[in-house]
Amino acid sequence: MAVRWLCSLFGKPFDGGKRMDHGGPQQQQQHPMEQQQPYHPQHPAMMRLYEVQKEVASLGPQVCTFSGLQNDRDYKRLERELTRLLLDVDQVDTEGKPELQGARKRAAQEVEGLLRYLEENSTHPSRLAIEELSNEARRLVDERVVAPQRGGGVAEINDELVDALQELVLRLTQVKTEGRVPLRKARYRALTRLCAIQDVIEGRTQQQTLPLPLSGDTHEAVHCINQVMVKVSVARSQLVALLMGLSGRDSCAHLSRILTEMQVELDALDVSGNAAIRNYRKQVVEEINGLLKHLDLEGEGDDTRR
């Protein structure tokens, strides 16, 4: 690997240590530059360039998959590390030797290419369009769902909200990515998150059409299930806030723990002999499972803006 990369720095094809034969027995005349004694990989300058190459090999995949913006923490970290590598390359002593100078130049071009790729993707018009649509969805959900419930009011969850979210989804699908991995990744994450919001909100809309919970006088377990239903409604709003990046306190782990505790509480109830109450409990458990499913996806993913 090291020899292959060193050969590329010198602009020579890697041939496993043998000179390449392009035309039978006739050897091509060597350029005077190629007649110079090649530098051993243990040369201090080549050793330093190889150290840079190892760091570039580590940073390259991170740069090529970064899907955020210039103000993101990871962008600043990658930019800082690549800039440091560029300075390290510039400080390599080539002793005025053309081959070492050429190797240093190629190493610098590789680092500069990563810096350019990082900047181009984070400032690409399509990336900015994805961010603007994500912000528009965030404002809509905050205004209609999160803010009212934080203030003790009622969330405005209706068909108008569902239609507005669907329009944003369609606009996101129309953003061109030009086959760039970072842009495809940013669009995919934004779509995944927005579709999850749709699913959660549409689940709430369907819940509003169901019959009212059973009366607490029917069975002693019904009162407990009714209380869990209230907690599920609160958890639904907390999940929406998490998905949209509107929650400063709550975390996926915290909300998952709360929902799991609700499941344990429901499982402990004795509802034997009453089919209606068993079905009621089953419905609430299914709603909790649906919220946990979205939490699992959210926990595996990065922030939309990254």
Side-chain angles (χ1 to χ4, degrees):
M1 177 67 183
V3 176
R4 185 186 302 273
W5 184 75
L6 292 174
C7 286
S8 70
L9 287 181
F10 284 123
K12 300 175 182 177
F14 178 74
D15 59 0
K18 303 177 182 178
R19 297 298 300 166
M20 294 187 67
D21 184 0
H22 292 286
Q26 292 185 352
Q27 296 290 334
Q28 296 182 353
Q29 185 177 359
Q30 286 187 324
H31 189 278
M33 186 67 69
E34 295 181 351
Q35 295 175 0
Q36 297 180 3
Q37 181 69 23
Y39 287 90
H40 194 275
Q42 297 300 320
H43 189 283
M46 296 311 302
M47 290 296 294
R48 184 64 196 108
L49 289 175
Y50 180 55
E51 290 295 324
V52 170
Q53 185 269 341
K54 288 195 295 185
E55 294 190 61
V56 169
S58 174
L59 292 174
Q62 299 178 52
V63 171
C64 293
T65 57
F66 176 76
S67 60
L69 301 170
Q70 283 185 311
N71 60 352
D72 290 344
R73 181 180 57 193
D74 281 346
Y75 179 95
K76 294 176 180 178
R77 176 184 61 81
L78 289 170
E79 183 183 44
R80 182 172 59 252
E81 293 184 8
L82 288 170
T83 302
R84 175 183 58 79
L85 287 178
L86 200 57
L87 292 174
D88 288 348
V89 171
D90 188 59
Q91 293 173 358
V92 171
D93 183 11
T94 63
E95 303 173 356
K97 306 298 184 181
E99 284 203 9
L100 290 177
Q101 290 174 342
R104 185 179 65 179
K105 180 180 179 180
R106 291 182 180 86
Q109 288 174 339
E110 188 173 354
V111 178
E112 289 169 350
L114 288 177
L115 275 168
R116 186 164 53 251
Y117 188 80
L118 181 67
E119 181 180 5
E120 285 177 356
N121 285 305
S122 62
T123 60
H124 193 282
S126 292
R127 182 62 187 88
L128 299 179
I130 293 170
E131 185 67 13
E132 178 55 35
L133 289 171
S134 296
N135 287 335
E136 189 173 340
R138 196 172 292 114
R139 289 191 295 268
L140 179 64
V141 171
D142 188 28
E143 177 184 341
R144 300 286 190 87
V145 181
V146 179
Q149 291 209 342
R150 281 179 176 169
V154 179
E156 299 180 29
I157 298 178
N158 48 37
D159 290 340
E160 181 183 350
L161 175 59
V162 172
D163 292 342
L165 291 172
Q166 180 61 29
E167 181 184 352
L168 289 173
V169 168
L170 292 176
R171 288 166 62 187
L172 270 171
T173 60
Q174 294 169 357
V175 175
K176 304 297 183 184
T177 63
E178 301 177 359
R180 292 172 177 251
V181 172
L183 297 182
R184 292 206 310 268
K185 180 180 176 183
R187 185 181 64 178
Y188 172 78
R189 292 199 180 282
L191 280 170
T192 300
R193 191 154 300 182
L194 196 48
C195 288
I197 291 291
Q198 278 187 300
D199 191 33
V200 173
I201 288 179
E202 287 176 358
R204 173 65 179 273
T205 304
Q206 294 168 3
Q207 177 188 343
Q208 293 173 344
T209 66
L210 295 173
L212 291 176
L214 298 174
S215 169
D217 298 333
T218 305
H219 193 283
E220 58 182 10
V222 173
H223 177 68
C224 181
I225 300 175
N226 288 345
Q227 289 182 323
V228 172
M229 280 285 288
V230 174
K231 296 177 184 178
V232 170
S233 180
V234 174
R236 189 183 298 275
S237 297
Q238 291 174 335
L239 175 58
V240 168
L242 270 174
L243 291 171
M244 283 283 94
L246 296 169
S247 177
R249 311 178 291 186
D250 300 321
S251 66
C252 293
H254 174 70
L255 186 53
S256 178
R257 185 167 57 252
I258 292 176
L259 290 169
T260 302
E261 289 173 357
M262 294 182 200
Q263 286 183 321
V264 173
E265 186 177 354
L266 290 174
D267 288 341
L269 295 177
D270 180 12
V271 295
S272 58
N274 194 314
I277 299 177
R278 282 203 306 273
N279 289 335
Y280 180 31
R281 183 179 67 173
K282 179 181 178 182
Q283 172 189 315
V284 178
V285 169
E286 288 175 349
E287 290 186 19
I288 293 174
N289 288 334
L291 298 183
L292 284 170
K293 176 192 70 175
H294 291 300
L295 273 175
D296 289 341
L297 293 174
E298 173 68 7
E300 294 173 359
D302 298 326
D303 187 84
T304 307
R305 293 162 287 181
R306 296 179 61 182

